[in-house]
Amino acid sequence: MDRRTRLDLAKSSPRRLPRGRRQARYQGVMLTMVLSLLALTFLALRLLPQSPFNPDGQPVITSIKPEDYPPAWLQVQTLPASDPELGDAEIELVFTGDLLLHEPILNQAIGPDGIADFSWLFKHTQDILQEADLAFGNMEGTLTDGPYSGYPTFSAPKAFAKNLKDAGFDYLTTVNNHAMDAGITGLKSTVEALRAQGLDCVGTRSSLEDPEFLLLDCQGIKLAFASFSYETPRVNGLRSLNGAPIPSDQEGLADTFSVAAGPLENLEPDAQRLRDRVQVMREANPDLIIFFMHWGQEYHKQADQWQNYYAKVLADAGVDLVIGSHPHVVQPLVSLPANNAAGQMICYYSLGNFVSSQQPDTGNSEGRAEEGAMARILVSKTAGRTQIKLADYIPLYMYKTYPGYPLANCTYGWALPVDRALQDPKKYEAEALIPRLEQALQSSQAVMGERILLPSWDRAAIHSAP
């Protein structure tokens, strides 16, 4: 081969790099490939649907901080307009805490002519109640023709039923430790007074023939409601509420359960009563099963062992939502693993008071008896699938004034939505209350915790109902 030919071949052949430089180039190419693969993997994970399960196999619950989500009263509908052909809908349910008509409230409401008007109690909350698709409250006490009294035996004018209706309430739970304060006659008259105003109730009945639970259809979403109260110690073997025995032949007029010292297994018979009720409700094929539970220790900000026990019973039975009352202070909002279609049960252990004259020092509650909350639940139904998509709450402050003593002579105020009152103190007559409102907001949020925003999973694809 001559010199020219060797030169031509050298020009057309790739030059071989030194060993060190070849290794550096190889490493650079490999690093580029690895980084590209990681970037593609990250992009794919972002685009793929998120798994509704955590590593333990439980559905993922996304909790959000209050500042991450607008206040309940500022939120807007998050679904497109309902499609009647698909049965799509989104509804708002609102629940309040205890409606306690103490003596100062009675004195303020009942005029010299004997005519009662309690409408002023709801002046700053009725728009929230009226805007909800369904609004529920806990009527704690009795509605009678008199005589009237406050604590410890509550008996109020039947006119209160009309004020509740006008304020925006749709249904009341009526079983609690004060449901027998006017005897079995008062229990029945409460039911009849509410129904006379178009307000049905659950938990107590005026006849043994009345349904044991409510079955409602709201915009195509089928809801089943039941309500139970803890009992006080039995009297001569009879179940009792606030120490008043329920006649044995009338026991079915009130739904109750036992709480007693000793092993929790001793409560199994009453736990089975709750399970049986859930089963009967399930046979009606509702989209959601909701229980009102009157339970817990008064003025305790945490749930007790009986609340936890019965909450687990309900969750295991497949209940979707529990609304608690009785402690007169707010207690935590939680999500519990459940044997229902969503795999979890939302539980408000206590919403505190809604109408009350309890004082800052009542029960050594450090002001918490003046605080409460309204639960706000958004339920959506899309393509035949129903889910609770938001469990929210609106902190409240029970405003009242005391122009003089004795306490029976005080002038009662009303429940104030704390968020609203802080944003517009003048409108809500709260200019002098800002420090107390800020304290109430901080206190309620510290106890109840974060609102719960649930992922939009396919309920049927996660768990099948028992």
Side-chain angles (χ1 to χ4, degrees), residues 119-190:
S119 59
W120 43 274
L121 290 170
F122 311 108
K123 65 182 297 184
H124 290 311
T125 51
Q126 64 182 13
D127 57 337
I128 301 174
L129 298 169
Q130 292 169 359
E131 290 168 5
D133 291 287
L134 293 173
F136 301 79
N138 174 41
M139 177 62 227
E140 186 151 11
T142 60
L143 300 177
T144 70
D145 292 319
Y148 305 128
S149 60
Y151 180 83
T153 53
F154 290 92
S155 173
K158 293 179 179 179
F160 187 53
K162 183 179 187 306
N163 297 137
L164 290 171
K165 181 67 174 179
D166 292 342
F169 284 97
D170 298 294
Y171 297 91
L172 281 299
T173 168
T174 47
V175 66
N176 46 69
N177 56 305
H178 290 289
M180 284 285 294
D181 280 6
I184 198 69
T185 301
L187 182 149
K188 293 180 180 180
S189 72
T190 303

Side-chain angles (χ1 to χ4, degrees), residues 234-438:
R234 299 203 176 196
V235 177
N236 297 323
L238 299 175
R239 295 178 182 266
S240 77
L241 294 170
N242 205 23
I246 305 173
S248 58
D249 62 343
Q250 303 289 298
E251 187 177 286
L253 296 183
D255 291 326
T256 63
F257 60 88
S258 301
V259 290
L264 292 174
E265 290 77 10
N266 293 345
L267 305 179
E268 175 57 27
D270 280 11
Q272 189 57 47
R273 296 178 71 196
L274 296 179
R275 296 189 196 101
D276 292 342
R277 179 62 56 81
V278 174
Q279 184 57 40
V280 173
M281 297 167 75
R282 191 180 303 286
E283 291 171 0
N285 196 31
D287 291 304
L288 293 178
I289 296 178
I290 301 171
F291 266 64
F292 300 98
M293 296 293 286
H294 202 75
W295 58 4
Q297 302 292 318
E298 292 182 316
Y299 315 114
H300 286 214
K301 61 182 180 181
Q302 297 299 326
D304 63 24
Q305 61 177 335
W306 294 285
Q307 287 172 280
N308 290 328
Y309 171 77
Y310 282 113
K312 186 176 187 305
V313 168
L314 294 174
D316 290 346
V319 172
D320 295 284
L321 172 66
V322 170
I323 304 294
S325 59
H326 176 64
H328 306 305
V329 297
V330 296
Q331 290 184 340
L333 161 62
V334 301
S335 174
L336 304 173
N339 191 24
N340 57 19
Q344 40 79 68
M345 179 183 80
I346 301 298
C347 179
Y348 292 79
Y349 274 114
S350 173
L351 293 177
N353 290 324
F354 186 64
V355 170
S356 163
S357 279
Q358 291 188 328
Q359 312 305 300
D361 59 350
T362 300
N364 296 317
S365 64
E366 299 176 336
R368 292 190 302 275
E370 288 191 313
E371 300 162 5
M374 300 172 78
R376 180 176 182 265
I377 307 294
L378 292 186
V379 181
S380 68
K381 187 171 188 178
T382 306
R385 302 185 183 99
T386 304
Q387 68 171 343
I388 296 173
K389 62 182 302 184
L390 175 69
D392 202 355
Y393 60 90
I394 303 171
L396 301 173
Y397 171 62
M398 309 293 112
Y399 168 66
K400 60 185 78 69
T401 60
Y402 306 96
Y405 285 86
L407 180 60
N409 294 326
C410 80
T411 301
Y412 184 81
W414 36 74
L416 284 173
V418 176
D419 286 324
R420 291 186 177 190
L422 285 173
Q423 291 202 14
D424 193 346
K426 184 176 181 180
K427 177 180 178 181
Y428 290 91
E429 306 165 77
E431 293 96 329
L433 299 173
I434 292 178
R436 182 66 183 94
L437 293 175
E438 291 174 340

